mmCIF file of all heavy atoms in Angstrom:
data_model
loop_
_atom_site.group_PDB
_atom_site.id
_atom_site.type_symbol
_atom_site.label_atom_id
_atom_site.label_comp_id
_atom_site.label_asym_id
_atom_site.label_seq_id
_atom_site.Cartn_x
_atom_site.Cartn_y
_atom_site.Cartn_z
ATOM 1 N N MET A 248 -2.176 6.503 2.359
ATOM 2 C CA MET A 248 -1.191 6.511 3.477
ATOM 3 C C MET A 248 -1.720 7.236 4.652
ATOM 4 O O MET A 248 -2.518 8.164 4.539
ATOM 5 C CB MET A 248 0.092 7.220 3.046
ATOM 6 C CG MET A 248 1.218 7.157 4.030
ATOM 7 S SD MET A 248 2.221 5.678 3.940
ATOM 8 C CE MET A 248 3.331 6.162 2.622
ATOM 9 N N ALA A 249 -1.328 6.762 5.833
ATOM 10 C CA ALA A 249 -1.818 7.478 7.129
ATOM 11 C C ALA A 249 -0.845 7.120 8.147
ATOM 12 O O ALA A 249 0.064 6.323 7.952
ATOM 13 C CB ALA A 249 -3.172 6.851 7.425
ATOM 14 N N TYR A 250 -1.031 7.745 9.291
ATOM 15 C CA TYR A 250 -0.160 7.399 10.433
ATOM 16 C C TYR A 250 -0.736 6.196 11.021
ATOM 17 O O TYR A 250 -1.875 5.898 11.041
ATOM 18 C CB TYR A 250 -0.127 8.630 11.441
ATOM 19 C CG TYR A 250 1.067 9.583 11.060
ATOM 20 C CD1 TYR A 250 1.093 10.252 9.820
ATOM 21 C CD2 TYR A 250 2.004 9.850 11.917
ATOM 22 C CE1 TYR A 250 2.000 11.208 9.499
ATOM 23 C CE2 TYR A 250 2.992 10.742 11.731
ATOM 24 C CZ TYR A 250 3.034 11.438 10.502
ATOM 25 O OH TYR A 250 4.040 12.261 10.210
ATOM 26 N N PHE A 251 0.176 5.469 11.762
ATOM 27 C CA PHE A 251 -0.168 4.203 12.405
ATOM 28 C C PHE A 251 0.469 4.313 13.763
ATOM 29 O O PHE A 251 1.593 4.734 14.015
ATOM 30 C CB PHE A 251 0.470 3.064 11.630
ATOM 31 C CG PHE A 251 0.263 1.796 12.288
ATOM 32 C CD1 PHE A 251 -0.947 1.028 12.204
ATOM 33 C CD2 PHE A 251 1.342 1.151 12.903
ATOM 34 C CE1 PHE A 251 -1.080 -0.241 12.795
ATOM 35 C CE2 PHE A 251 1.186 -0.087 13.567
ATOM 36 C CZ PHE A 251 -0.014 -0.733 13.579
ATOM 37 N N ILE A 252 -0.262 3.805 14.814
ATOM 38 C CA ILE A 252 0.289 3.828 16.201
ATOM 39 C C ILE A 252 0.825 2.421 16.495
ATOM 40 O O ILE A 252 0.004 1.450 16.490
ATOM 41 C CB ILE A 252 -0.724 4.190 17.232
ATOM 42 C CG1 ILE A 252 -1.098 5.671 17.054
ATOM 43 C CG2 ILE A 252 -0.191 3.978 18.618
ATOM 44 C CD1 ILE A 252 -2.252 6.147 17.926
ATOM 45 N N ASN A 253 2.074 2.215 16.750
ATOM 46 C CA ASN A 253 2.702 0.951 17.012
ATOM 47 C C ASN A 253 2.543 0.559 18.485
ATOM 48 O O ASN A 253 2.000 1.147 19.321
ATOM 49 C CB ASN A 253 4.258 0.958 16.552
ATOM 50 C CG ASN A 253 5.040 1.864 17.375
ATOM 51 O OD1 ASN A 253 4.725 2.009 18.544
ATOM 52 N ND2 ASN A 253 6.229 2.295 16.821
ATOM 53 N N ASP A 254 3.149 -0.602 18.790
ATOM 54 C CA ASP A 254 2.884 -1.331 19.961
ATOM 55 C C ASP A 254 3.760 -0.630 21.234
ATOM 56 O O ASP A 254 3.547 -1.024 22.401
ATOM 57 C CB ASP A 254 3.389 -2.744 20.031
ATOM 58 C CG ASP A 254 2.437 -3.576 19.089
ATOM 59 O OD1 ASP A 254 1.343 -3.138 18.847
ATOM 60 O OD2 ASP A 254 2.834 -4.688 18.721
ATOM 61 N N GLU A 255 4.466 0.537 20.889
ATOM 62 C CA GLU A 255 5.171 1.253 21.894
ATOM 63 C C GLU A 255 4.227 2.002 22.725
ATOM 64 O O GLU A 255 4.391 2.575 23.807
ATOM 65 C CB GLU A 255 6.251 2.143 21.315
ATOM 66 C CG GLU A 255 7.315 1.483 20.566
ATOM 67 C CD GLU A 255 8.123 0.502 21.500
ATOM 68 O OE1 GLU A 255 8.488 0.873 22.573
ATOM 69 O OE2 GLU A 255 8.266 -0.713 21.156
ATOM 70 N N CYS A 256 2.943 2.280 22.109
ATOM 71 C CA CYS A 256 1.923 3.140 22.828
ATOM 72 C C CYS A 256 1.576 2.662 24.243
ATOM 73 O O CYS A 256 1.386 1.426 24.517
ATOM 74 C CB CYS A 256 0.688 3.016 21.986
ATOM 75 S SG CYS A 256 -0.748 3.926 22.732
ATOM 76 N N ILE A 257 1.642 3.720 25.174
ATOM 77 C CA ILE A 257 1.352 3.317 26.585
ATOM 78 C C ILE A 257 0.047 3.849 26.963
ATOM 79 O O ILE A 257 -0.354 4.051 28.145
ATOM 80 C CB ILE A 257 2.445 3.953 27.436
ATOM 81 C CG1 ILE A 257 2.617 5.485 27.293
ATOM 82 C CG2 ILE A 257 3.762 3.286 27.274
ATOM 83 C CD1 ILE A 257 3.579 6.225 28.206
ATOM 84 N N SER A 258 -0.763 4.122 25.944
ATOM 85 C CA SER A 258 -2.194 4.624 26.208
ATOM 86 C C SER A 258 -2.350 5.826 27.113
ATOM 87 O O SER A 258 -3.276 5.918 28.009
ATOM 88 C CB SER A 258 -3.077 3.474 26.736
ATOM 89 O OG SER A 258 -3.159 2.513 25.648
ATOM 90 N N CYS A 259 -1.386 6.816 26.917
ATOM 91 C CA CYS A 259 -1.475 8.073 27.778
ATOM 92 C C CYS A 259 -2.610 8.970 27.425
ATOM 93 O O CYS A 259 -3.023 9.726 28.171
ATOM 94 C CB CYS A 259 -0.160 8.700 27.721
ATOM 95 S SG CYS A 259 0.200 9.606 26.129
ATOM 96 N N GLY A 260 -3.003 8.873 26.160
ATOM 97 C CA GLY A 260 -4.156 9.624 25.610
ATOM 98 C C GLY A 260 -3.673 11.009 25.081
ATOM 99 O O GLY A 260 -4.590 11.772 24.651
ATOM 100 N N ALA A 261 -2.462 11.458 25.212
ATOM 101 C CA ALA A 261 -2.107 12.778 24.853
ATOM 102 C C ALA A 261 -2.367 13.060 23.320
ATOM 103 O O ALA A 261 -2.774 14.307 22.988
ATOM 104 C CB ALA A 261 -0.528 12.897 25.102
ATOM 105 N N CYS A 262 -2.273 12.201 22.484
ATOM 106 C CA CYS A 262 -2.458 12.430 21.097
ATOM 107 C C CYS A 262 -3.931 12.612 20.722
ATOM 108 O O CYS A 262 -4.272 13.374 19.757
ATOM 109 C CB CYS A 262 -1.892 11.251 20.198
ATOM 110 S SG CYS A 262 -2.667 9.637 20.618
ATOM 111 N N GLU A 263 -4.864 12.050 21.434
ATOM 112 C CA GLU A 263 -6.228 11.957 21.057
ATOM 113 C C GLU A 263 -6.783 13.437 20.799
ATOM 114 O O GLU A 263 -7.510 13.626 19.780
ATOM 115 C CB GLU A 263 -7.103 11.263 22.058
ATOM 116 C CG GLU A 263 -8.602 11.135 21.646
ATOM 117 C CD GLU A 263 -9.401 10.231 22.630
ATOM 118 O OE1 GLU A 263 -8.777 9.994 23.812
ATOM 119 O OE2 GLU A 263 -10.414 9.780 22.301
ATOM 120 N N SER A 264 -6.497 14.316 21.726
ATOM 121 C CA SER A 264 -7.064 15.550 21.704
ATOM 122 C C SER A 264 -6.200 16.600 20.725
ATOM 123 O O SER A 264 -6.729 17.637 20.301
ATOM 124 C CB SER A 264 -7.150 16.281 23.062
ATOM 125 O OG SER A 264 -5.878 16.365 23.625
ATOM 126 N N GLU A 265 -5.072 16.073 20.284
ATOM 127 C CA GLU A 265 -4.296 16.936 19.374
ATOM 128 C C GLU A 265 -4.698 16.684 17.846
ATOM 129 O O GLU A 265 -4.316 17.513 17.005
ATOM 130 C CB GLU A 265 -2.802 16.587 19.552
ATOM 131 C CG GLU A 265 -2.239 16.891 20.845
ATOM 132 C CD GLU A 265 -2.263 18.446 21.116
ATOM 133 O OE1 GLU A 265 -2.016 19.181 20.136
ATOM 134 O OE2 GLU A 265 -2.593 18.824 22.253
ATOM 135 N N CYS A 266 -5.332 15.659 17.617
ATOM 136 C CA CYS A 266 -5.735 15.301 16.230
ATOM 137 C C CYS A 266 -6.746 16.319 15.726
ATOM 138 O O CYS A 266 -7.864 16.345 16.174
ATOM 139 C CB CYS A 266 -6.188 13.923 16.128
ATOM 140 S SG CYS A 266 -6.584 13.464 14.385
ATOM 141 N N PRO A 267 -6.525 17.012 14.611
ATOM 142 C CA PRO A 267 -7.351 17.879 14.118
ATOM 143 C C PRO A 267 -8.573 17.403 13.481
ATOM 144 O O PRO A 267 -9.717 18.039 13.270
ATOM 145 C CB PRO A 267 -6.546 18.740 12.961
ATOM 146 C CG PRO A 267 -5.525 17.699 12.616
ATOM 147 C CD PRO A 267 -5.181 16.971 13.830
ATOM 148 N N VAL A 268 -8.621 16.131 13.065
ATOM 149 C CA VAL A 268 -9.742 15.373 12.531
ATOM 150 C C VAL A 268 -10.345 14.365 13.378
ATOM 151 O O VAL A 268 -11.145 13.566 12.996
ATOM 152 C CB VAL A 268 -9.513 14.891 11.027
ATOM 153 C CG1 VAL A 268 -9.140 15.924 10.111
ATOM 154 C CG2 VAL A 268 -8.249 13.873 11.191
ATOM 155 N N SER A 269 -9.823 14.353 14.706
ATOM 156 C CA SER A 269 -10.410 13.533 15.680
ATOM 157 C C SER A 269 -10.542 12.091 15.194
ATOM 158 O O SER A 269 -11.623 11.356 15.399
ATOM 159 C CB SER A 269 -11.810 13.939 16.099
ATOM 160 O OG SER A 269 -11.718 15.285 16.708
ATOM 161 N N CYS A 270 -9.431 11.516 14.558
ATOM 162 C CA CYS A 270 -9.505 10.134 14.086
ATOM 163 C C CYS A 270 -8.680 9.176 15.035
ATOM 164 O O CYS A 270 -8.534 7.993 14.604
ATOM 165 C CB CYS A 270 -8.950 10.088 12.723
ATOM 166 S SG CYS A 270 -7.277 10.474 12.465
ATOM 167 N N ILE A 271 -8.301 9.647 16.344
ATOM 168 C CA ILE A 271 -7.570 8.742 17.148
ATOM 169 C C ILE A 271 -8.528 8.367 18.312
ATOM 170 O O ILE A 271 -9.244 9.211 18.823
ATOM 171 C CB ILE A 271 -6.239 9.493 17.799
ATOM 172 C CG1 ILE A 271 -5.398 9.954 16.618
ATOM 173 C CG2 ILE A 271 -5.620 8.492 18.766
ATOM 174 C CD1 ILE A 271 -4.264 10.795 17.207
ATOM 175 N N SER A 272 -8.638 7.037 18.608
ATOM 176 C CA SER A 272 -9.402 6.685 19.711
ATOM 177 C C SER A 272 -8.677 5.552 20.467
ATOM 178 O O SER A 272 -7.752 4.956 20.009
ATOM 179 C CB SER A 272 -10.707 6.063 19.097
ATOM 180 O OG SER A 272 -10.560 5.091 18.307
ATOM 181 N N GLU A 273 -9.269 5.326 21.711
ATOM 182 C CA GLU A 273 -8.573 4.257 22.613
ATOM 183 C C GLU A 273 -8.995 2.903 22.018
ATOM 184 O O GLU A 273 -10.184 2.581 21.867
ATOM 185 C CB GLU A 273 -9.053 4.431 23.992
ATOM 186 C CG GLU A 273 -8.313 3.448 24.898
ATOM 187 C CD GLU A 273 -8.561 3.880 26.415
ATOM 188 O OE1 GLU A 273 -9.433 4.775 26.615
ATOM 189 O OE2 GLU A 273 -7.893 3.350 27.375
ATOM 190 N N GLY A 274 -8.021 2.071 21.790
ATOM 191 C CA GLY A 274 -8.256 0.721 21.371
ATOM 192 C C GLY A 274 -7.944 -0.349 22.404
ATOM 193 O O GLY A 274 -7.750 -0.015 23.606
ATOM 194 N N ASP A 275 -7.723 -1.518 22.001
ATOM 195 C CA ASP A 275 -7.497 -2.655 22.892
ATOM 196 C C ASP A 275 -5.974 -2.701 23.142
ATOM 197 O O ASP A 275 -5.220 -3.185 22.313
ATOM 198 C CB ASP A 275 -7.895 -3.907 22.260
ATOM 199 C CG ASP A 275 -7.790 -5.141 23.115
ATOM 200 O OD1 ASP A 275 -7.581 -4.888 24.487
ATOM 201 O OD2 ASP A 275 -7.899 -6.231 22.688
ATOM 202 N N GLY A 276 -5.601 -2.096 24.300
ATOM 203 C CA GLY A 276 -4.145 -2.126 24.653
ATOM 204 C C GLY A 276 -3.369 -0.984 24.150
ATOM 205 O O GLY A 276 -2.167 -0.745 24.695
ATOM 206 N N LYS A 277 -3.904 -0.242 23.136
ATOM 207 C CA LYS A 277 -3.212 0.900 22.664
ATOM 208 C C LYS A 277 -4.106 1.768 21.959
ATOM 209 O O LYS A 277 -5.228 1.334 21.629
ATOM 210 C CB LYS A 277 -2.058 0.521 21.721
ATOM 211 C CG LYS A 277 -2.532 -0.131 20.502
ATOM 212 C CD LYS A 277 -1.344 -0.404 19.373
ATOM 213 C CE LYS A 277 -1.876 -0.894 18.181
ATOM 214 N NZ LYS A 277 -0.858 -0.919 17.008
ATOM 215 N N TYR A 278 -3.789 2.982 21.604
ATOM 216 C CA TYR A 278 -4.628 3.914 20.846
ATOM 217 C C TYR A 278 -4.555 3.568 19.352
ATOM 218 O O TYR A 278 -3.511 2.928 18.961
ATOM 219 C CB TYR A 278 -4.312 5.424 21.120
ATOM 220 C CG TYR A 278 -4.956 5.877 22.354
ATOM 221 C CD1 TYR A 278 -4.792 5.297 23.592
ATOM 222 C CD2 TYR A 278 -5.804 6.941 22.265
ATOM 223 C CE1 TYR A 278 -5.433 5.758 24.709
ATOM 224 C CE2 TYR A 278 -6.471 7.465 23.374
ATOM 225 C CZ TYR A 278 -6.210 6.809 24.598
ATOM 226 O OH TYR A 278 -6.999 7.252 25.709
ATOM 227 N N VAL A 279 -5.532 3.887 18.697
ATOM 228 C CA VAL A 279 -5.605 3.474 17.208
ATOM 229 C C VAL A 279 -6.062 4.702 16.327
ATOM 230 O O VAL A 279 -6.719 5.555 16.749
ATOM 231 C CB VAL A 279 -6.497 2.342 16.914
ATOM 232 C CG1 VAL A 279 -5.998 1.017 17.539
ATOM 233 C CG2 VAL A 279 -7.901 2.633 17.394
ATOM 234 N N ILE A 280 -5.542 4.745 15.138
ATOM 235 C CA ILE A 280 -5.837 5.860 14.196
ATOM 236 C C ILE A 280 -6.738 5.206 13.039
ATOM 237 O O ILE A 280 -6.474 4.165 12.478
ATOM 238 C CB ILE A 280 -4.554 6.364 13.546
ATOM 239 C CG1 ILE A 280 -3.728 7.111 14.539
ATOM 240 C CG2 ILE A 280 -4.830 7.350 12.314
ATOM 241 C CD1 ILE A 280 -2.306 7.546 14.143
ATOM 242 N N ASP A 281 -7.803 6.014 12.725
ATOM 243 C CA ASP A 281 -8.713 5.648 11.625
ATOM 244 C C ASP A 281 -7.968 6.092 10.468
ATOM 245 O O ASP A 281 -7.932 7.244 10.039
ATOM 246 C CB ASP A 281 -10.005 6.326 11.844
ATOM 247 C CG ASP A 281 -10.964 5.978 10.698
ATOM 248 O OD1 ASP A 281 -10.495 5.396 9.597
ATOM 249 O OD2 ASP A 281 -12.172 6.103 10.823
ATOM 250 N N ALA A 282 -7.462 5.066 9.560
ATOM 251 C CA ALA A 282 -6.636 5.481 8.456
ATOM 252 C C ALA A 282 -7.435 6.201 7.351
ATOM 253 O O ALA A 282 -6.759 6.908 6.627
ATOM 254 C CB ALA A 282 -5.990 4.185 7.872
ATOM 255 N N ASP A 283 -8.682 5.990 7.403
ATOM 256 C CA ASP A 283 -9.491 6.665 6.412
ATOM 257 C C ASP A 283 -9.776 8.094 6.614
ATOM 258 O O ASP A 283 -10.087 8.889 5.746
ATOM 259 C CB ASP A 283 -10.895 6.004 6.257
ATOM 260 C CG ASP A 283 -10.756 4.499 5.652
ATOM 261 O OD1 ASP A 283 -9.839 4.328 4.941
ATOM 262 O OD2 ASP A 283 -11.642 3.696 6.018
ATOM 263 N N GLU A 284 -9.431 8.515 7.839
ATOM 264 C CA GLU A 284 -9.685 9.846 8.298
ATOM 265 C C GLU A 284 -8.379 10.694 8.475
ATOM 266 O O GLU A 284 -8.346 11.912 8.361
ATOM 267 C CB GLU A 284 -10.452 9.971 9.658
ATOM 268 C CG GLU A 284 -11.865 9.366 9.626
ATOM 269 C CD GLU A 284 -12.760 10.112 8.690
ATOM 270 O OE1 GLU A 284 -12.724 11.308 8.573
ATOM 271 O OE2 GLU A 284 -13.696 9.475 7.987
ATOM 272 N N CYS A 285 -7.266 9.957 8.755
ATOM 273 C CA CYS A 285 -5.978 10.639 8.995
ATOM 274 C C CYS A 285 -5.536 11.450 7.868
ATOM 275 O O CYS A 285 -5.598 11.027 6.683
ATOM 276 C CB CYS A 285 -4.939 9.592 9.325
ATOM 277 S SG CYS A 285 -3.334 10.309 9.591
ATOM 278 N N ILE A 286 -5.152 12.722 8.081
ATOM 279 C CA ILE A 286 -4.587 13.583 7.084
ATOM 280 C C ILE A 286 -3.109 13.776 7.059
ATOM 281 O O ILE A 286 -2.530 14.704 6.436
ATOM 282 C CB ILE A 286 -5.314 15.037 7.132
ATOM 283 C CG1 ILE A 286 -5.062 15.626 8.424
ATOM 284 C CG2 ILE A 286 -6.790 14.893 6.723
ATOM 285 C CD1 ILE A 286 -5.511 17.077 8.592
ATOM 286 N N GLU A 287 -2.549 12.914 7.899
ATOM 287 C CA GLU A 287 -0.901 12.868 7.954
ATOM 288 C C GLU A 287 -0.405 14.259 8.404
ATOM 289 O O GLU A 287 0.685 14.587 7.853
ATOM 290 C CB GLU A 287 -0.427 12.522 6.540
ATOM 291 C CG GLU A 287 -0.884 11.163 6.052
ATOM 292 C CD GLU A 287 -0.333 10.867 4.696
ATOM 293 O OE1 GLU A 287 0.937 10.909 4.520
ATOM 294 O OE2 GLU A 287 -1.071 10.725 3.774
ATOM 295 N N CYS A 288 -1.075 14.861 9.326
ATOM 296 C CA CYS A 288 -0.447 16.126 9.830
ATOM 297 C C CYS A 288 0.808 15.927 10.810
ATOM 298 O O CYS A 288 1.491 16.874 10.912
ATOM 299 C CB CYS A 288 -1.581 16.939 10.563
ATOM 300 S SG CYS A 288 -2.011 16.221 12.127
ATOM 301 N N GLY A 289 0.790 14.847 11.431
ATOM 302 C CA GLY A 289 1.966 14.586 12.272
ATOM 303 C C GLY A 289 1.808 15.113 13.693
ATOM 304 O O GLY A 289 2.775 14.946 14.576
ATOM 305 N N ALA A 290 0.670 15.722 13.981
ATOM 306 C CA ALA A 290 0.522 16.232 15.339
ATOM 307 C C ALA A 290 0.622 15.242 16.488
ATOM 308 O O ALA A 290 1.132 15.436 17.576
ATOM 309 C CB ALA A 290 -0.873 16.967 15.404
ATOM 310 N N CYS A 291 0.036 14.060 16.234
ATOM 311 C CA CYS A 291 0.075 12.990 17.115
ATOM 312 C C CYS A 291 1.591 12.533 17.436
ATOM 313 O O CYS A 291 1.874 12.366 18.606
ATOM 314 C CB CYS A 291 -0.683 11.725 16.686
ATOM 315 S SG CYS A 291 -0.268 11.246 15.062
ATOM 316 N N ALA A 292 2.369 12.387 16.422
ATOM 317 C CA ALA A 292 3.727 12.094 16.534
ATOM 318 C C ALA A 292 4.486 13.203 17.393
ATOM 319 O O ALA A 292 5.408 12.821 18.251
ATOM 320 C CB ALA A 292 4.458 11.909 15.307
ATOM 321 N N GLY A 293 4.110 14.361 17.249
ATOM 322 C CA GLY A 293 4.628 15.568 17.971
ATOM 323 C C GLY A 293 4.386 15.520 19.368
ATOM 324 O O GLY A 293 5.303 16.046 20.258
ATOM 325 N N VAL A 294 3.378 14.993 19.969
ATOM 326 C CA VAL A 294 3.062 15.048 21.352
ATOM 327 C C VAL A 294 3.314 13.701 22.068
ATOM 328 O O VAL A 294 3.377 13.666 23.243
ATOM 329 C CB VAL A 294 1.627 15.496 21.610
ATOM 330 C CG1 VAL A 294 1.370 16.916 21.108
ATOM 331 C CG2 VAL A 294 0.632 14.497 20.974
ATOM 332 N N CYS A 295 3.472 12.694 21.304
ATOM 333 C CA CYS A 295 3.681 11.313 21.897
ATOM 334 C C CYS A 295 5.073 11.132 22.615
ATOM 335 O O CYS A 295 6.081 11.510 22.031
ATOM 336 C CB CYS A 295 3.639 10.188 20.771
ATOM 337 S SG CYS A 295 3.724 8.524 21.464
ATOM 338 N N PRO A 296 5.000 10.764 23.904
ATOM 339 C CA PRO A 296 6.163 10.625 24.690
ATOM 340 C C PRO A 296 7.032 9.455 24.186
ATOM 341 O O PRO A 296 8.208 9.357 24.646
ATOM 342 C CB PRO A 296 5.675 10.464 26.133
ATOM 343 C CG PRO A 296 4.364 9.867 25.950
ATOM 344 C CD PRO A 296 3.739 10.432 24.751
ATOM 345 N N VAL A 297 6.437 8.481 23.561
ATOM 346 C CA VAL A 297 7.261 7.324 23.264
ATOM 347 C C VAL A 297 7.463 7.073 21.744
ATOM 348 O O VAL A 297 7.962 6.086 21.358
ATOM 349 C CB VAL A 297 6.643 6.072 23.855
ATOM 350 C CG1 VAL A 297 6.682 6.110 25.380
ATOM 351 C CG2 VAL A 297 5.144 5.883 23.399
ATOM 352 N N GLY A 298 7.061 8.082 20.947
ATOM 353 C CA GLY A 298 7.266 7.972 19.469
ATOM 354 C C GLY A 298 6.459 6.837 18.809
ATOM 355 O O GLY A 298 6.935 6.301 17.767
ATOM 356 N N ALA A 299 5.293 6.580 19.353
ATOM 357 C CA ALA A 299 4.489 5.470 18.735
ATOM 358 C C ALA A 299 3.798 5.774 17.458
ATOM 359 O O ALA A 299 3.786 4.846 16.556
ATOM 360 C CB ALA A 299 3.525 5.016 19.750
ATOM 361 N N PRO A 300 3.338 6.965 17.125
ATOM 362 C CA PRO A 300 2.687 7.233 15.830
ATOM 363 C C PRO A 300 3.778 7.510 14.837
ATOM 364 O O PRO A 300 4.712 8.377 15.066
ATOM 365 C CB PRO A 300 1.927 8.519 16.090
ATOM 366 C CG PRO A 300 1.869 8.742 17.600
ATOM 367 C CD PRO A 300 3.149 8.056 18.133
ATOM 368 N N ASN A 301 3.652 6.857 13.738
ATOM 369 C CA ASN A 301 4.597 6.945 12.631
ATOM 370 C C ASN A 301 3.929 6.757 11.295
ATOM 371 O O ASN A 301 2.856 6.127 11.194
ATOM 372 C CB ASN A 301 5.615 5.907 12.663
ATOM 373 C CG ASN A 301 6.685 6.094 13.805
ATOM 374 O OD1 ASN A 301 7.566 6.948 13.770
ATOM 375 N ND2 ASN A 301 6.555 5.239 14.863
ATOM 376 N N PRO A 302 4.367 7.377 10.175
ATOM 377 C CA PRO A 302 3.784 7.207 8.956
ATOM 378 C C PRO A 302 3.784 5.667 8.509
ATOM 379 O O PRO A 302 4.760 5.047 8.750
ATOM 380 C CB PRO A 302 4.663 8.026 7.991
ATOM 381 C CG PRO A 302 5.430 9.011 8.821
ATOM 382 C CD PRO A 302 5.581 8.238 10.240
ATOM 383 N N ALA A 303 2.745 5.246 8.032
ATOM 384 C CA ALA A 303 2.654 3.760 7.727
ATOM 385 C C ALA A 303 3.515 3.496 6.533
ATOM 386 O O ALA A 303 3.756 4.460 5.659
ATOM 387 C CB ALA A 303 1.245 3.418 7.407
ATOM 388 N N GLU A 304 4.101 2.399 6.531
ATOM 389 C CA GLU A 304 5.056 2.101 5.403
ATOM 390 C C GLU A 304 4.230 1.926 4.111
ATOM 391 O O GLU A 304 3.198 1.437 4.087
ATOM 392 C CB GLU A 304 5.686 0.745 5.677
ATOM 393 C CG GLU A 304 6.751 0.843 6.845
ATOM 394 C CD GLU A 304 7.847 1.789 6.510
ATOM 395 O OE1 GLU A 304 8.278 1.798 5.366
ATOM 396 O OE2 GLU A 304 8.427 2.385 7.450
HETATM 397 FE FE1 SF4 B 122 -4.604 12.822 13.455
HETATM 398 FE FE2 SF4 B 122 -2.589 14.141 12.294
HETATM 399 FE FE3 SF4 B 122 -2.050 11.938 13.736
HETATM 400 FE FE4 SF4 B 122 -3.351 11.692 11.412
HETATM 401 S S1 SF4 B 122 -1.240 12.477 11.650
HETATM 402 S S2 SF4 B 122 -3.892 10.677 13.315
HETATM 403 S S3 SF4 B 122 -4.555 13.477 11.343
HETATM 404 S S4 SF4 B 122 -2.985 13.867 14.526
HETATM 405 FE FE1 SF4 B 123 -0.225 6.123 22.647
HETATM 406 FE FE2 SF4 B 123 1.545 8.084 22.183
HETATM 407 FE FE3 SF4 B 123 -1.060 8.531 21.724
HETATM 408 FE FE4 SF4 B 123 0.055 8.352 24.223
HETATM 409 S S1 SF4 B 123 0.461 9.933 22.694
HETATM 410 S S2 SF4 B 123 -1.824 7.359 23.592
HETATM 411 S S3 SF4 B 123 1.552 6.803 23.999
HETATM 412 S S4 SF4 B 123 0.268 7.088 20.655
#
């Protein structure tokens, strides 16, 4: 399990520098999380203005 950034992402970049394992990067139209690196800390969800990062189902 890992966090996943949904289509609500507005590519503001706020989450990228908050991730303790640096697994967030800018993708095509939205930011993306490397699921193999994510430790599910929730920091990205805490800073996102639109609630785009959520635990994957
Ligand atoms: Fe990074 Fe934590 Fe978000 Fe996973 S939950 S992408 S480790 S900030
Ligand atoms: Fe996208 Fe939210 Fe990250 Fe900004 S903080 S880049 S809106 S996921």
Side-chain angles (χ1 to χ4, degrees):
M248 185 89 81
Y250 270 60
F251 173 80
I252 294 174
N253 67 28
D254 292 343
E255 299 299 309
C256 174
I257 55 173
S258 296
C259 72
C262 57
E263 185 176 14
S264 60
E265 295 296 322
C266 180
V268 294
S269 300
C270 67
I271 304 174
S272 60
E273 188 170 9
D275 185 15
K277 67 173 188 173
Y278 274 57
V279 292
I280 291 171
D281 182 341
D283 292 333
E284 299 293 328
C285 176
I286 58 172
E287 299 175 59
C288 71
C291 51
V294 299
C295 180
V297 296
N301 288 282
E304 294 294 328

